[in-house]
Amino acid sequence: MPDRLTSSSNERALRAAYRHCRRAVRRRNPVEYAVMQLTPPALRPAWWAMWAAFAAADDIADDPGADRAERAARLHAWTTWLDSDLAGGRSDDPVRHALVDTVRRWDLDLGTLHRSFTTLAADTGGREFATWAQWSSWVRGTNHSWAVEGLHLLAHAGVHIPLWLDRTESYRRYLDGLYLTDTLADLGDDLSRGELLLPADALASFPGAEDDLRAGRYTPAVRDLVSHLTGRARHWLHQPELLGGLPPGPAVVFDAATRLFLARLDAVDAAGGKLLHQPTVPSRVTRWRLLAPARAQTALARRLLSCPVDHRTPPPPAESRGTVVVESGPVTSPPPHPSGARPPSLAPGELPRHVAVIMDGNGRWATQRGLPRSDGHREGSTAVREVFRGALELGLPYLTLYSFSTENWKRSTDEVSELFALCREELRTHRFAQYGVRARWAGSPEGLPEDLVDELLRVQHETRHQTRLTLTLCLNYGGRAELTRAARALAHRAATGQIDPARIHEADLAAQLSLPDLPDVDLLWRTGGEHRVSNFLPWHAAYAELHFTDALWPDTDRRDLWQAVTAYTRRQRRYGSAPRVPEQPRSSAPAPV
């Protein structure tokens, strides 16, 4: 009986948490709420929870009653509590309680959502944009991860949305149009907090408009600026070609959402001076006129096509699943080496846990043969697959590859572009999950093509439950930059009183690294005849055994990995201690007199 009462109490608390999120969405964003109501009923609580969580974090970052340090500390505490709540499966905070249930129920990746929290944390000191490019980058930093998880949510529910690679820029512009519409409709709220979330180059085109906006004056300059911006947002939103290829239900929702946001822009244009003092939304009549036929059409589509999944009961926690989880079929073994060579047989405990590789020599390999350097990188990708297969056959738990360093930007634009195109191709075609591989990315997104970042995050998300081998791709990675970011984060925590500087431990700094759970490197191997570590994993490789080989990377295969590991097993690892002296056998002869 007590267990039944506890379960009933938990269920009531969860329902109350979702109702809280629903009220928050409906009160603050009736247009977004209306769009959510067009989706299958089983999905709606998840949308409410995701939106309410982002809004709660955004409110903390924007709180005008707190200074920058206090806002940053509160946001950090909120996200830390969220991680703790996820581990425990519930929360005393209704928004976090609903989000935790949504993440567990629909198997979403909270790590992806953390990207937007990180962007919000950087915003606690205020947001200013010089150009539309900066504005767009910020928009995608705060909103892209939620769009990605929204697509995963739909996929888990059996609603698959096809995305076309040739429409990537159109998708991004559409998201920009949604956010620009939100920015214009909420202009009054932002101005009341002293924020003007528009790029300086747009404001400069209308002399006097910025000063008038900040003073709360609706002048001809402001009117012309607003008209120009609503026109830009309409252009970004009006992309009927994006409807092509969508299933009937999602197509109706997409079309209705677009019409609602266009109606919101009409309301912005018609608001006049009220725009600077209150949020702007389409009238109830307008919303009803647009939504009534859409509701009927989506209901009909659901009846005809029927959403095949109903997640009313959460799936089991990740730790209770099998040791290897593959979403697209059973784990398969890699093809054997053409020569028939097999990996060495090593005694238990001899195998290194983590091998990191500096893949050097692609360009020199191509130059020696009179080929473009890009041909060397393409040939090197074959070597990557070979070594990857050798790691699987050997049973390595962790393999980390240095794919592109922050210093590699010094190379020609053509070579860098070719290298990124090759990375995209490999990520799109390689079936990591087929081999039970968890793929992860370490590095900075700054400067990388956005579609490459999207691919890295997609693969990382899709393979997150695999356990056979963790493959880390260090792309746009620099060891000193990683340590600098970690030190900056630690200094911020100390400055805001979250940690006592006198009690900072190694583990505190390690927790701020890109992948804090990545184990120390046991063996660092570099090809190409060079004998240096080149700013690669300085924290993790502090006690690594170093192994250098002369062969250029494209001439390398899995047998070279096996030889490196075999050489590692002959090393005596002492970590600063004195070598052990074997005891001498005692003599049975009598002691001399």
Side-chain angles (χ1 to χ4, degrees), residues 3-42:
D3 289 342
R4 187 178 300 173
L5 290 175
T6 301
S7 176
S8 176
S9 175
N10 290 341
E11 182 67 22
R12 286 197 300 272
L14 183 59
R15 289 181 180 276
Y18 277 117
R19 285 197 299 270
H20 174 90
C21 295
R22 179 181 186 177
R23 286 194 298 268
V25 182
R26 186 165 49 187
R27 182 180 68 253
R28 292 180 48 172
N29 283 78
V31 172
E32 283 87 341
Y33 176 78
V35 174
M36 295 173 191
Q37 296 306 98
L38 295 176
T39 63

Side-chain angles (χ1 to χ4, degrees), residues 392-425:
L392 287 170
E393 289 185 297
L394 197 58
L396 276 180
Y398 289 87
L399 177 67
T400 298
L401 304 179
Y402 207 3
S403 303
F404 185 85
S405 76
T406 50
E407 287 76 25
N408 289 153
W409 289 104
K410 300 172 185 175
R411 299 182 180 183
S412 72
T413 302
D414 288 344
E415 181 180 352
V416 170
S417 297
E418 289 282 351
L419 184 57
F420 289 162
L422 180 61
C423 288
R424 277 192 294 269
E425 180 182 332

Side-chain angles (χ1 to χ4, degrees), residues 271-583:
K274 295 179 181 179
L275 179 67
L276 307 187
H277 305 289
Q278 62 187 41
T280 305
V281 294
S283 67
R284 290 177 180 269
V285 173
T286 300
R287 296 203 302 269
W288 180 86
R289 178 174 53 82
L290 293 173
L291 288 173
R295 285 173 180 164
Q297 292 168 17
T298 54
L300 176 61
R302 284 198 297 273
R303 285 198 300 271
L304 294 177
L305 302 176
S306 70
C307 179
V309 178
D310 183 5
H311 277 242
R312 287 172 290 186
T313 302
E319 59 269 19
S320 69
R321 302 171 191 169
T323 20
V324 177
V325 178
V326 178
E327 298 170 358
S328 55
V331 170
T332 59
S333 298
H337 190 271
S339 71
R342 299 298 302 159
S345 297
L346 301 177
E350 288 187 331
L351 187 69
R353 187 181 184 208
H354 184 185
V355 175
V357 187
I358 301 176
M359 307 175 293
D360 193 18
N362 289 338
R364 282 178 284 156
W365 184 91
T367 301
Q368 289 174 3
R369 290 161 175 75
L371 301 171
R373 289 176 63 88
S374 58
D375 285 5
H377 294 304
R378 187 164 293 279
E379 194 68 25
S381 68
T382 302
V384 168
R385 295 197 179 208
E386 258 298 292
V387 170
F388 164 80
R389 291 166 179 168
L392 287 170
E393 289 185 297
L394 197 58
L396 276 180
Y398 289 87
L399 177 67
T400 298
L401 304 179
Y402 207 3
S403 303
F404 185 85
S405 76
T406 50
E407 287 76 25
N408 289 153
W409 289 104
K410 300 172 185 175
R411 299 182 180 183
S412 72
T413 302
D414 288 344
E415 181 180 352
V416 170
S417 297
E418 289 282 351
L419 184 57
F420 289 162
L422 180 61
C423 288
R424 277 192 294 269
E425 180 182 332
E426 289 293 307
L427 290 167
R428 289 168 182 166
T429 60
H430 197 75
R431 302 281 293 178
F432 294 100
Q434 175 184 348
Y435 298 111
V437 173
R438 178 191 185 194
R440 297 202 296 177
W441 167 41
S444 169
E446 185 174 354
L448 292 179
E450 291 191 27
D451 58 343
L452 177 55
V453 173
D454 292 345
E455 284 299 315
L456 288 163
L457 294 175
R458 178 190 63 80
V459 170
Q460 182 169 273
H461 176 86
E462 291 179 354
T463 64
R464 65 193 185 281
H465 293 315
Q466 310 303 327
T467 58
R468 187 178 184 184
L469 167 69
T470 295
L471 175 67
T472 302
L473 304 174
C474 290
L475 189 70
N476 200 22
Y477 172 87
R480 288 185 172 181
E482 180 182 36
L483 291 177
T484 300
R485 286 194 299 270
R488 187 183 300 122
L490 203 56
H492 173 74
R493 293 191 63 200
T496 55
Q498 301 174 50
I499 191 170
D500 182 356
R503 305 186 67 176
I504 290 177
H505 188 270
E506 286 184 8
D508 296 310
L509 191 141
Q512 307 300 324
L513 298 175
S514 302
L515 297 174
D517 60 333
L518 188 68
D520 285 348
V521 175
D522 297 307
L523 172 63
L524 194 155
W525 168 34
R526 179 171 187 151
T527 65
E530 302 291 351
H531 293 72
R532 56 180 178 270
V533 296
S534 296
N535 198 21
F536 183 40
L537 298 176
W539 181 270
H540 300 88
Y543 281 99
E545 297 293 327
L546 306 181
H547 182 77
F548 301 104
T549 53
D550 292 331
L552 303 177
W553 179 250
D555 292 327
T556 302
D557 67 15
R558 71 186 81 177
R559 295 171 297 180
D560 297 286
L561 171 66
W562 297 340
Q563 289 174 8
V565 170
T566 301
Y568 165 86
T569 64
R570 303 191 188 106
R571 307 276 182 95
Q572 187 178 15
R573 309 193 74 199
R574 298 191 295 271
Y575 299 98
S577 65
R580 183 180 178 183
V581 179
E583 294 183 5

